[in-house]
Amino acid sequence: RGRPGMTSAGGVSWEWKPVVRSDLLARGFHSCNVLQGQLLIFGGLKSQECHGAPLGDLVAFDPLLQTVRTLAPEGGPRRSHHEAVVLADRFLCVVGGWDGSRRTSDVGCFDAEQGRWERWTAGPSSEAPVGLSSHTCTKLTDHELRVVGREGGLRTQRRYASIFTMHINPSTKTYWYEEEASRTASRAGHSAMLVREARPGGRSSGYALLVFGGRDSADLDVAGRWEKGKIHADSVLAPGLTEQLSRLVSSGRGSRQAPKGLRHQSCSVVGPFAVIFGGETLATGRDSVCNDLYIYDTRSSPANWFHFPCSNRAQKRVGHRTCLWNDKLYCVGGFGTDGKSPCPEICSLEISL
């Protein structure tokens, strides 16, 4: 059997093990990205019931020293339910989100070399969304992002999710949106995973951006396909964790079940796997926060889902983030079992074989 708090799967077990605790981490619906070897946690909310402005501070976690500090205090944009990507290992680019009074599609960037926030400007040809929150933003290159989300103002939201290509020019500090002809089903609080598609026989045919969650369905939508040479997203090597995930899905104890009716979960791509954790289920109003682990295995065509439940209620999370660095997958912040109390900690995924 696994240790307390772990889920055993044929001799293979997993858990989120606390790494560091700090009040600076107590937040949900924030972003978390790796920049220059540190995890940068930006924005979010201190409470689900908070009616004030979101946070605007930038916090850095150093995985080597295991220290947490404020990198930049208030002074940048205030955002929650936003997305962020890293460009050229220098700029933390914050896209859209809730600013305390409205949904926005604006872009703000933290320049790590200059140590300051900058507000970038939209070009005259930009087909900017009405407003974005609980959307996804996926880096394709240092000059091109793919944004998927249900647009809306304060009172209305569209019944479908628009797909935008965002073009970015860091040298001129400008950006512009271009709306794609295709759309997806209406989603909010969903995940987007950029994965390699396998042909029969295991050969890679290129990349696909797959969108799931954020609605009461287990369906996957395709938000774009690209040839291998068209994608220049950051590839993080994680051979040890990849091998552990392979052992976990091969244990025979995970059910072949896709997440259904899940939103505000976390999603990180680790080699040929996408690792999904937590979130809240739309199927029930009580005890809706989840602590399940799902793995999407792209090594075969079609790909396979694996579901590994957890018995430890203390590991329930919603509005959290996972982030891959140096062969470790970290889980940062979020709200716990009651969906209201922020978790002031960073944990790492530990798989025991």
Side-chain angles (χ1 to χ4, degrees), residues 53-88:
L55 299 169
D57 59 334
L58 182 63
V59 172
F61 166 62
D62 188 321
L64 295 178
L65 301 177
Q66 296 197 356
T67 56
V68 178
R69 65 187 178 95
T70 299
L71 184 62
E74 305 287 347
R78 288 177 173 264
R79 292 285 187 275
S80 70
H81 300 80
H82 57 285
E83 273 288 354
V85 297
V86 171
L87 306 177

Side-chain angles (χ1 to χ4, degrees), residues 234-297:
D234 301 327
S235 58
V236 181
L237 296 178
L241 182 57
T242 300
E243 173 61 24
Q244 291 176 351
L245 291 169
S246 177
R247 293 279 299 275
L248 183 59
V249 301
S250 301
S251 66
R253 299 297 297 273
S255 61
R256 298 290 186 92
Q257 179 185 351
K260 181 181 184 297
L262 200 63
R263 66 180 177 184
H264 301 307
Q265 65 278 354
S266 62
C267 176
S268 291
V269 175
V270 182
F273 305 105
V275 180
I276 293 90
F277 175 70
E280 63 180 352
T281 175
L282 296 166
T284 177
R286 298 181 61 185
D287 196 26
S288 61
V289 181
C290 302
N291 55 354
D292 296 346
L293 188 75
Y294 291 90
I295 298 175
Y296 187 68
D297 184 354

Side-chain angles (χ1 to χ4, degrees), residues 3-21:
R3 288 176 286 162
M6 302 181 72
T7 294
S8 181
V12 182
S13 49
W14 66 273
E15 70 170 336
W16 291 101
K17 185 176 180 179
V19 174
V20 64
R21 292 177 62 90

Side-chain angles (χ1 to χ4, degrees), residues 180-204:
E180 299 292 324
S182 58
R183 295 169 175 166
T184 74
S186 178
R187 299 178 187 270
H190 54 282
S191 295
M193 50 188 179
L194 185 65
V195 298
R196 288 202 172 192
E197 288 191 296
R199 291 194 183 103
R203 295 174 56 193
S204 175

Side-chain angles (χ1 to χ4, degrees), residues 73 91 108-109 115-116 127 202 206 249 259 328-329 333 349:
F91 299 104
C109 280
R116 65 174 182 235
E127 300 172 330
V249 301
K328 278 193 175 293
L329 187 64
L349 180 62

Side-chain angles (χ1 to χ4, degrees), residues 111 117 190 215 219 249 293 320:
D111 185 339
W117 283 98
H190 54 282
R215 67 194 309 263
D219 293 342
V249 301
L293 188 75
H320 55 293

Side-chain angles (χ1 to χ4, degrees), residues 11 14 36 48 96 105 122 134 170 180 201 216 239 248 300 306 324 343 348:
W14 66 273
Q36 297 179 0
Q48 283 261 48
S105 58
S134 299
E180 299 292 324
D216 194 10
L248 183 59
S300 61
F306 294 89
L324 179 64
C343 303
S348 65

